[in-house]
């Protein structure tokens, strides 16, 4: 009897050890997964879509959001209305997925897959998001009656795509992004789980190139203030911005959300990660 009990006890210990080893091996080969950085654009409300309720939010990578911020920022500099920004964003979603591609069909490249052979500019120019966005808006403005065209028709009038119906699938997402980046809705863009390094480029230079001004902090009307706030959040990683406040709400990279904070007095403020010493 004693030997039987000892054998059972030994077997139990072996099972425990094996179980522990199994758990250890699981953790060894399945390490904790870090949250994926991303950005969320609030879906347009019923007042924008004509439907009831609120549509689903849209998600973008930080790189896509950075490019969307550039496209929208250039639109603001050129005085383009929200419809033009929607058309531009839908076009870039269809043509490149909001990625500044180094190539494409034939000699196409960049966010809008523009072609040097078709008079869009040099390769270096069309792969510069600011130049490419400016060129797109200039072509759009030259289309007779473009402001009355729907997104697909306006985009096709500029792009002359072999797949003209492709732009329609991005209209809802592009409209939501345009609402955020033109300041039509407050706190409509947020980015989460970002690692914010020191700025990789000058905020002043980027703001002047895209927005036509580097005067960001201070008093703004609601639409302008929220447009600038969304632009800053969209460029947060590149510009080293870890906090943006406007009109009683604050976004931080640490929280990844907009929260009530500060006076609702129409003042925009931002904070950048300090550059490394030396």
């Amino acid at each position: 009897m004693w030997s039987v009990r000892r054998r059972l006890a030994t077997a139990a210990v072996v099972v425990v050890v094996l179980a522990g080893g199994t758990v250890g091996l699981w953790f060894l080969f399945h390490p904790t997964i870090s949250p994926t950085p991303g950005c969320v654009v609030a879906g347009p409300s019923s007042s924008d879509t004509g439907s009831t309720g609120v549509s689903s939010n849209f998600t973008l990578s930080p790189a896509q959001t950075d490019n969307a911020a550039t496209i929208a920022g250039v639109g603001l500099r050129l005085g383009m209305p929200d419809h033009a920004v929607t058309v531009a964003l839908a076009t870039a979603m269809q043509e490149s997925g909001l990625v500044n591609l180094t190539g494409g069909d034939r000699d196409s490249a960049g966010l809008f897959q523009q072609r040097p052979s078709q008079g869009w500019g040099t390769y270096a120019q069309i792969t510069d998001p600011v130049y490419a966005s400016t060129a797109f808006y200039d072509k759009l403005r030259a289309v007779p009656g473009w402001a009355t065209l729907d997104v697909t028709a306006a985009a096709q009038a500029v792009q002359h795509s072999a797949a003209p119906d492709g732009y329609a699938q991005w209209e809802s997402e592009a409209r939501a992004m345009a609402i955020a980046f033109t300041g039509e809705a407050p706190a409509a863009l947020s980015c989460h789980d970002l690692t914010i390094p020191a700025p990789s480029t000058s905020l002043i230079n980027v703001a002047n190139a895209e927005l036509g001004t580097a005067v960001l902090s201070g008093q703004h009307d609601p639409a302008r203030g929220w447009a600038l706030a969304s632009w800053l959040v969209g460029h947060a990683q590149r510009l080293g911005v870890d906090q943006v406040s406007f009109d009683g709400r604050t976004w931080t990279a640490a929280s990844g959300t907009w929260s009530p904070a500060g006076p609702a007095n129409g003042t925009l403020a931002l904070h950048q990660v300090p550059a490394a010493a030396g």
Side-chain angles (χ1 to χ4, degrees), residues 92-263:
M93 287 294 294
Q94 170 65 13
E95 297 291 351
S96 68
L98 277 175
V99 177
N100 191 25
L101 300 176
T102 57
D105 179 49
R106 289 170 283 190
D107 58 337
S108 300
L111 288 172
F112 297 94
Q113 289 292 278
Q114 295 157 338
R115 299 179 60 193
S117 64
Q118 300 301 309
W120 282 99
T122 66
Y123 176 83
Q125 288 174 325
I126 64 175
T127 52
D128 172 2
V130 174
Y131 176 93
S133 299
T134 303
F136 180 87
Y137 287 121
D138 286 345
K139 290 278 189 179
L140 179 63
R141 285 195 290 199
V143 174
W146 71 266
T148 63
L149 299 177
D150 62 30
V151 169
T152 296
Q156 176 60 8
V158 175
Q159 296 295 108
H160 304 293
S161 171
D165 296 330
Y167 305 108
Q169 65 184 313
W170 305 110
E171 183 169 352
S172 294
E173 187 167 355
R175 175 62 182 142
M177 286 189 282
I179 287 172
F181 282 117
T182 61
E184 292 181 60
L189 170 71
S190 59
C191 294
H192 57 85
D193 299 303
L194 300 182
T195 299
I196 305 295
S200 61
T201 189
S202 166
L203 187 154
I204 292 175
N205 291 345
V206 174
N208 279 325
E210 296 185 13
L211 302 170
T213 179
V215 179
L216 306 181
S217 299
Q219 294 287 127
H220 299 284
D221 65 67
R224 178 67 174 177
W226 282 114
L228 295 177
S230 293
W231 183 86
L232 286 164
V233 172
H235 281 325
Q237 283 191 313
R238 179 151 60 109
L239 300 180
V241 174
D242 60 0
Q243 181 171 312
V244 180
S245 298
F246 181 68
D247 209 22
R249 301 193 199 185
T250 295
W251 170 87
T252 65
S255 69
T257 61
W258 288 93
S259 302

